[in-house]
Amino acid sequence: MSDQHAHRADLRIDVDAIRHNVGVLAARAAGARTMVIVKSDGYGHGAVTVARAALEAGAGQIGVAALGEAVALREAGITAPLMCWLYSRGDDFAPALRHGVELSASSVRGLREIAATAAELGLVARLHLKIDTGLCRSGCPEAEWPNLVDEAAKAEADGHVEVVAVWSHLACADELGHPSIDNQALRFRRAYERARTAGLGPIRHLANSAAVLTRPDLHFEMVRPGIAVYGLDPVPQDGDHGLRPAMTFRSSVSLTKRVAAGESVSYGHTWTADRPVNLALVPVGYADGVPRTLSGRMSVWLAGRRRPVVGRVCMDQLVVLCDDDVVREGDEVILFGPGDRGEPTAAEWADELGTIHYEIVTGMYRPRVTRTVVGERA
């Protein structure tokens, strides 16, 4: 689909913005390597597109959650160091290991499975050992950590694995000054020292986007930004960090009409015109990622200004109030974007819905929504 033509529902992904954001984050963590996280199809932006742009901008490594995500990146030609960390019991590590994917271990059982698979393949698995420092999701409990690092040291001596990193994840880094941050950092340092005592020589990575921006003491040898890569600030209360949102959600006007005073719009007749007005029909709805709960609470950018959506958001369409302004079929409609022109943003949607902007952008790529990438290098 041409970027100049009318569209039903389209995500415009600005690769220049991604490169800019990676540059900002890498500069904040100067001296540390940058692992850019592209899980969940690059937070809805396209994992391959984002990985390529991040590496062009100076990132040294890519991170994903699932084994399939890692293999897909390799098959798309991403050759940079690549880490994967979240598995289900019984998952086959062989394809990832054949592709040189670095894996995470949070338990002795998991470590042994990875080491055994590597031995069968005649390969050496590059491992990141994860310590649970207080998030209480994945990660090895502190009480079991000595066993894990000792077992890892034995597997390394046997030639089946190479322990390249110790890592953990912060629970409240986006809440400036939260006491858990320092508590987790202390636990992390203890875990790292225990790994060193076991004879391992790993690097450390702990800092997510919020910690990259606000906690330079936690950058260590590598940082692991996710949401900030996409231009969405995890700590806006800390000021403007110069990030540029990379996703714009667009549609176009499919029909216009003038209705008389007293006419009501959409299911349930929740909005009624108190005067003759022009309306614009936009062919996107909750099947395309526009939450129905935004009915009566959202606006769009159309014909040079913000305009309210009136009536209920439907499965396939919504209606925009244009007052007496003339808009035309095919006119572009911005549902959210960077906000440079005054258009709504993904962060505004999240605030209105009582959620986080991560959820908004990650859930946008759907079967009827195209994705247009601009700024890619040949």
Side-chain angles (χ1 to χ4, degrees), residues 96-295:
L97 288 172
R98 289 193 187 100
H99 281 290
V101 175
E102 299 176 4
L103 300 175
S104 175
S106 296
S107 68
V108 170
R109 176 189 59 79
L111 169 68
R112 288 174 176 170
E113 289 180 1
I114 294 169
T117 304
E120 289 171 8
L121 298 173
L123 300 172
V124 177
R126 288 172 59 84
L127 276 187
H128 298 240
L129 302 180
K130 187 176 185 184
I131 174 71
D132 180 6
T133 56
L135 185 59
C136 293
R137 297 190 313 187
S138 62
C140 181
E142 283 186 284
E144 299 172 20
W145 182 252
N147 291 336
L148 177 60
V149 295
D150 289 345
E151 186 86 10
K154 180 179 182 299
E156 189 170 80
D158 291 342
H160 303 319
V161 306
E162 178 188 0
V163 177
V164 297
V166 167
W167 73 295
S168 192
H169 196 46
L170 295 167
C172 304
D174 55 348
E175 300 180 42
L176 302 182
H178 196 285
S180 70
I181 303 171
D182 287 337
N183 186 44
Q184 284 194 258
L186 177 61
R187 291 181 177 185
F188 184 67
R189 291 186 174 96
R190 286 202 302 255
Y192 172 71
E193 290 304 323
R194 181 61 180 82
R196 297 278 294 180
T197 300
L200 302 173
I203 68 167
R204 298 162 289 176
H205 53 99
L206 176 65
N208 57 6
S209 289
V212 171
L213 294 169
T214 64
R215 290 296 299 261
D217 59 314
L218 303 183
H219 290 169
F220 301 118
E221 293 80 34
M222 186 158 66
V223 296
R224 212 173 53 244
I227 195 64
V229 168
Y230 306 93
L232 301 174
D233 199 325
V235 279
Q237 67 272 34
D238 188 53
D240 184 359
H241 295 112
L243 302 173
R244 288 163 45 188
M247 179 185 287
T248 297
F249 182 33
R250 315 178 294 173
S251 186
S252 57
V253 175
S254 61
L255 180 70
T256 63
K257 62 176 62 177
R258 190 164 180 84
V259 300
E263 292 289 350
S264 299
V265 171
S266 196
Y267 293 122
H269 280 183
T270 59
W271 183 87
T272 301
D274 60 5
R275 64 195 185 286
V277 293
N278 294 330
L279 301 176
L281 185 69
V282 184
V284 292
Y286 55 80
D288 310 296
V290 184
R292 187 174 181 272
T293 48
L294 284 180
S295 299

Side-chain angles (χ1 to χ4, degrees), residues 5 31 49 70 73 75 82 90 148 157 161 173 206 223 229 246 254 310 346-347 357:
H5 292 171
T49 294
L73 286 172
E75 292 177 344
L82 174 60
L148 177 60
V161 306
L206 176 65
V223 296
V229 168
S254 61
V310 294
H357 43 39

Side-chain angles (χ1 to χ4, degrees), residues 7 9 17 61 76 88-89 104 131 133 227 253 277-278 281 302 308 315 318 335 338 368:
H7 27 260
Q61 185 151 350
S88 298
R89 187 148 192 175
S104 175
I131 174 71
T133 56
I227 195 64
V253 175
V277 293
N278 294 330
L281 185 69
L302 169 58
M315 183 182 294
L318 53 80
L335 289 98
R368 300 193 306 194

Side-chain angles (χ1 to χ4, degrees), residues 344-355:
T345 66
E348 288 181 42
W349 275 28
D351 289 344
E352 187 64 41
L353 292 166
T355 186

